[in-house]
Amino acid sequence: MPTQTIIATGALFGMLSVIFGAFGAHALKKMLTADQLQSFEVGVKYQMYHAIVLLILGFSKTDTLSSAIYWCFTIGIILFSFSIYGLVLSDAKGKKLKVLGPITPIGGLLLVSGWFLLLLHVV
């Protein structure tokens, strides 16, 4: 995986997490319950944490294991954070997309796998 791709992906996810965080704190604050807002913020936080790790990974020496970590984190962010956004927003509109419910833990499992691979990378 080219380092520019890893860095660009990390930057994109970081930028989007700031945008989504601001959107949640301002625009959504009036339409979401406290629990929904808290769930939305979890998605934003996890997205930012993993965006930062992608940036660090991109600025480090990359190899095959780095590529696997990249894909675990990238797909994990999309499945975990974005399914949370979809669940919260659809629930706020009264039409909860229940199909997204099982996707969130798959994304979480990919994030955990990425961390495990990162551990293997340094050990």
Side-chain angles (χ1 to χ4, degrees), residues 18-33 36-37 40-41 88-89 92-93:
V18 172
I19 292 168
F20 294 160
F23 183 63
H26 300 288
L28 296 179
K29 193 173 190 176
K30 296 174 184 175
M31 68 181 277
L32 298 181
T33 67
Q36 290 170 330
L37 190 58
F40 192 87
E41 288 172 354
V88 169
L89 294 174
K93 297 216 177 240

Side-chain angles (χ1 to χ4, degrees), residues 3-117:
T3 57
Q4 296 89 346
T5 301
I6 297 171
I7 294 167
T9 304
L12 175 65
F13 281 137
M15 178 187 72
L16 288 174
S17 69
V18 172
I19 292 168
F20 294 160
F23 183 63
H26 300 288
L28 296 179
K29 193 173 190 176
K30 296 174 184 175
M31 68 181 277
L32 298 181
T33 67
D35 286 343
Q36 290 170 330
L37 190 58
Q38 184 178 7
S39 293
F40 192 87
E41 288 172 354
V42 167
V44 170
K45 287 177 188 177
Y46 274 58
Q47 182 176 331
M48 179 58 87
Y49 299 151
H50 292 89
I52 292 168
V53 175
L54 284 171
L55 290 172
I56 294 167
L57 184 67
F59 285 112
S60 303
K61 181 182 170 191
T62 59
D63 56 14
T64 305
L65 197 51
S66 296
S67 182
I69 296 167
Y70 166 82
W71 284 111
C72 283
F73 283 162
T74 299
I75 296 169
I77 289 169
I78 292 167
L79 296 181
F80 183 82
S81 292
F82 285 75
S83 68
I84 289 175
Y85 304 148
L87 283 166
V88 169
L89 294 174
S90 64
D91 188 34
K93 297 216 177 240
K95 295 186 177 185
K96 189 171 187 174
L97 295 173
K98 293 181 183 179
V99 69
L100 294 177
I103 293 173
T104 307
I106 294 169
L109 184 60
L110 284 167
L111 295 175
V112 170
S113 298
W115 283 107
F116 178 73
L117 292 173

